[in-house]
Amino acid sequence: MDIDKAQKLAVEHLLPMFPGSNLQIDKSSSRDAKVAWVGGAQQVSFKLDKSWQQRLTVSRSQSFSPAERGLIDAFVKACEDVDSAIGQAYETEVLRSLGRFVVIESIRHAPSELLGNALAALEHWAVQTYEGREVTAGLGLLATHDELTGMSTVTFEEYRRLDVAKVLGDGVSSLMVFDSTGQVRGLHSLPGGDNSARAPLRFSGAAAWAEENRVSLCLSRRGEILLFTGGELRFARRRGSWIYFDQASTIRRWKIHSTSLRSSVYESCLDASFSRTGACVAMVTMANAQNVKSLVADEDMLASSRDNAKRAALRTIIGGRSFQELDRAVRQDLLALDGAVILSHTGAILAAGAIVRVPGGSEGGGRRAAALELSKLGVGLKISSDGGLTAFSNSDVVYAGF
């Protein structure tokens, strides 16, 4: 595979895994490693052959974590594995699946053949219907053959062809579980509503099931595929591309507030993203707490002395609690309000459903304009209606994801 083909594949399959990233071609020598940090943690270069005199460099505004660099290693390995397809009649079909191959290569503890077949089945079901409704599905993959008792003669390949496969296991309340050999192990019921899950609230049960070396896969009614392992969301296929979630690293990047607040805000951003409600959230520094009033009307401030029904209702709902103390479903409802949710550095809710004053001629929509203005007071977060998250600090993009 030459560098031009590798560049095309990286644009189609690697960059979408790191929203906000870009790709460039740099000079290289045979001494350079296939994958390496260059110019700091915000750039990682790679090449498929050490003899190449050029290399491809992925860069973005936020740093790449070691886990994200490992994903680029997986991309290189996946490209090497499919190299024999170049020039063949089936090249287009193989390369179209490269993103899936990268995911499989990254989840080393899962049976690769079973994981690949499961992902292919969910991608197929994502465009199918059952009784006139979009298909939802939940699959659980075990790393062992004997973790559950009992034997089955039904394999995954046989199961996926059955009509009932589109009904059994919805990923929210249940998973259809398979062992490492692909044999059916039963339908597993899931608890839900875990406030601390690093996963969309609706799928928190599937995330909790996927502890240790287990993997759970969920297909939502919107045709999105979510992959959970280690008890959290790791990958999601959205808008036709696979996206990687390095959640611990993301939470650490919002440095100016407490870990508990950052975690709560991040989890609620996940909920708003996958429920497609959109949202605008801000975390304000202690030094800028008094400056919120310059951007928000007094009647939208919860502490205002002016009385109105909206503020009275919100005060009753919040009950004097900080954002991180609220039930996660309540936080999701607050973010769904038209307007911004504005938090102090401790998590106190200063305003909810607030209209933010923005300069005339602002581009990019109301939520983006509001998040940019609020970022001058700390961190402004904008979740778009298609699920994308952008974080701003002092009007600069510090994170792009989802």
Side-chain angles (χ1 to χ4, degrees), residues 8-26:
K8 182 175 184 292
L9 293 176
V11 169
E12 291 178 0
H13 300 288
L14 183 62
L15 294 193
M17 292 189 178
F18 307 121
S21 62
N22 57 71
L23 191 70
Q24 64 191 49
I25 298 179
D26 298 316

Side-chain angles (χ1 to χ4, degrees), residues 60-119:
R60 64 180 183 186
S61 59
Q62 69 258 29
S63 299
F64 287 94
S65 68
E68 289 172 320
R69 182 208 146 127
L71 192 61
I72 296 175
D73 279 304
F75 173 80
V76 170
K77 176 66 166 56
C79 286
E80 292 171 344
D81 289 344
V82 303
D83 188 53
S84 60
I86 304 299
Q88 303 297 323
Y90 49 83
E91 173 184 335
T92 300
E93 184 60 33
V94 171
L95 297 185
R96 185 182 294 125
S97 304
L98 186 64
R100 187 198 313 157
F101 299 155
V102 176
V103 173
I104 296 166
E105 181 66 28
S106 301
I107 311 296
R108 297 291 182 87
H109 56 268
S112 57
E113 183 177 357
L114 175 60
L115 178 58
N117 289 337
L119 291 175

Side-chain angles (χ1 to χ4, degrees), residues 181-228:
T181 66
Q183 292 180 322
V184 173
R185 287 310 207 175
L187 189 62
H188 183 91
S189 296
L190 297 171
D194 184 354
N195 248 32
S196 62
R198 286 184 181 173
L201 184 61
R202 181 174 173 79
F203 297 100
S204 59
W209 185 90
E211 291 286 358
E212 299 177 350
N213 290 330
R214 294 175 171 184
V215 173
S216 59
L217 305 168
C218 300
L219 171 63
S220 76
R221 200 167 296 283
R222 292 186 174 88
E224 297 177 328
I225 300 171
L226 295 81
L227 184 153
F228 304 94

Side-chain angles (χ1 to χ4, degrees), residues 131-146:
E131 298 289 339
R133 296 176 299 171
E134 293 84 357
V135 175
T136 60
L139 305 175
L141 311 183
L142 301 170
T144 61
H145 177 50
D146 58 354

Side-chain angles (χ1 to χ4, degrees), residues 1 7 11 56 88 142 171 192 235 253 258 268 283 306 320 379:
M1 186 183 302
Q7 180 183 26
V11 169
L56 296 165
Q88 303 297 323
L142 301 170
F235 287 96
R253 288 188 189 115
S258 71
S268 293
M283 295 179 284
R306 297 184 184 180
V379 174

